[in-house]
Amino acid sequence: MKPIRLHHPGVPTEPEPPDRLVELAGAVRSESVVQSGVTTTQDGRWALYVTVPANATVPLADVEAQAAGYPVVYEAQPTEPPRAGPAYPRQRRT
Protein backbone atom coordinates (compact mmCIF):
# COMPACT_ATOMS: atom_id res chain seq x y z
CA MET A 1 0.00 0.00 0.00
CA LYS A 2 1.15 3.58 -0.58
CA PRO A 3 1.45 6.25 2.13
CA ILE A 4 -1.41 8.68 2.61
CA ARG A 5 -1.08 12.04 0.89
CA LEU A 6 -2.20 14.20 3.79
CA HIS A 7 -2.71 13.12 7.39
CA HIS A 8 -5.52 14.67 9.45
CA PRO A 9 -4.78 14.02 13.13
CA GLY A 10 -7.62 13.40 15.55
CA VAL A 11 -8.21 15.00 18.93
CA PRO A 12 -5.81 13.31 21.37
CA THR A 13 -7.35 11.01 23.97
CA GLU A 14 -4.50 11.94 26.36
CA PRO A 15 -3.24 15.53 26.78
CA GLU A 16 0.47 14.74 26.21
CA PRO A 17 2.24 12.09 24.14
CA PRO A 18 4.07 9.36 26.07
CA ASP A 19 7.71 10.23 26.75
CA ARG A 20 8.81 6.94 25.19
CA LEU A 21 7.04 7.81 21.92
CA VAL A 22 8.72 11.22 21.81
CA GLU A 23 12.10 9.51 22.28
CA LEU A 24 11.32 7.01 19.52
CA ALA A 25 10.30 9.79 17.13
CA GLY A 26 13.70 11.41 17.51
CA ALA A 27 15.59 8.16 17.08
CA VAL A 28 13.79 6.37 14.23
CA ARG A 29 16.18 5.39 11.43
CA SER A 30 15.33 4.00 8.01
CA GLU A 31 16.53 4.66 4.48
CA SER A 32 12.98 5.54 3.46
CA VAL A 33 12.14 7.94 6.31
CA VAL A 34 12.54 11.61 5.38
CA GLN A 35 11.17 13.09 8.62
CA SER A 36 9.73 11.71 11.82
CA GLY A 37 7.68 13.06 14.68
CA VAL A 38 4.63 12.50 16.84
CA THR A 39 0.98 12.82 15.82
CA THR A 40 -2.38 11.31 16.64
CA THR A 41 -4.40 8.83 14.65
CA GLN A 42 -7.84 9.87 13.44
CA ASP A 43 -9.31 8.23 16.56
CA GLY A 44 -6.98 10.21 18.86
CA ARG A 45 -4.29 7.66 19.78
CA TRP A 46 -0.73 8.98 19.97
CA ALA A 47 1.34 7.64 17.06
CA LEU A 48 4.74 7.78 15.42
CA TYR A 49 4.58 10.02 12.33
CA VAL A 50 6.95 9.50 9.40
CA THR A 51 7.14 11.01 5.95
CA VAL A 52 8.35 8.72 3.21
CA PRO A 53 8.65 9.01 -0.59
CA ALA A 54 5.24 8.91 -2.27
CA ASN A 55 6.17 5.73 -4.14
CA ALA A 56 7.21 3.82 -0.98
CA THR A 57 5.35 0.66 -0.07
CA VAL A 58 4.18 0.83 3.53
CA PRO A 59 4.15 -0.37 6.25
CA LEU A 60 7.95 -0.55 6.52
CA ALA A 61 9.07 -3.50 8.65
CA ASP A 62 12.10 -1.67 10.08
CA VAL A 63 9.99 1.34 11.12
CA GLU A 64 7.27 -0.85 12.63
CA ALA A 65 9.91 -2.67 14.70
CA GLN A 66 11.27 0.64 16.01
CA ALA A 67 7.77 1.90 16.87
CA ALA A 68 7.63 -0.44 19.90
CA GLY A 69 3.91 -1.17 19.47
CA TYR A 70 2.78 2.42 18.86
CA PRO A 71 0.73 3.01 15.70
CA VAL A 72 2.66 4.46 12.76
CA VAL A 73 1.21 7.08 10.41
CA TYR A 74 2.95 7.11 7.01
CA GLU A 75 2.53 10.31 5.00
CA ALA A 76 3.89 10.85 1.50
CA GLN A 77 6.61 13.46 1.25
CA PRO A 78 5.19 16.51 -0.56
CA THR A 79 6.44 16.99 -4.12
CA GLU A 80 6.85 20.73 -3.50
CA PRO A 81 7.78 22.68 -0.38
CA PRO A 82 4.90 24.35 1.46
CA ARG A 83 3.91 27.75 0.13
CA ALA A 84 4.46 30.45 2.69
CA GLY A 85 2.22 33.45 2.72
CA PRO A 86 1.61 36.40 4.98
CA ALA A 87 0.00 35.61 8.32
CA TYR A 88 -2.35 38.57 7.89
CA PRO A 89 -2.94 39.28 4.21
CA ARG A 90 -3.48 42.90 3.36
CA GLN A 91 -7.07 43.93 3.31
CA ARG A 92 -8.46 46.18 0.66
CA ARG A 93 -8.87 49.70 1.86
CA THR A 94 -12.00 51.43 0.72
Side-chain angles (χ1 to χ4, degrees):
M1 132 171 65
K2 298 297 177 197
I4 57 175
R5 287 181 38 120
L6 185 60
H7 171 60
H8 298 284
V11 177
T13 56
E14 298 290 326
E16 295 292 323
D19 292 338
R20 178 71 180 129
L21 178 60
V22 174
E23 291 171 15
L24 292 170
V28 68
R29 299 288 178 258
S30 175
E31 282 186 15
S32 298
V33 173
V34 178
Q35 291 181 319
S36 62
V38 175
T39 190
T40 56
T41 60
Q42 288 184 339
D43 64 357
R45 294 176 295 144
W46 288 105
L48 179 63
Y49 167 84
V50 294
T51 56
V52 296
N55 63 350
T57 300
V58 297
L60 300 170
D62 59 339
V63 173
E64 296 289 329
Q66 294 175 67
Y70 289 103
V72 181
V73 173
Y74 295 92
E75 186 176 82
Q77 180 183 16
T79 55
E80 296 180 8
R83 182 181 174 275
Y88 299 99
R90 291 186 182 181
Q91 295 180 4
R92 284 183 71 187
R93 298 184 190 251
T94 54

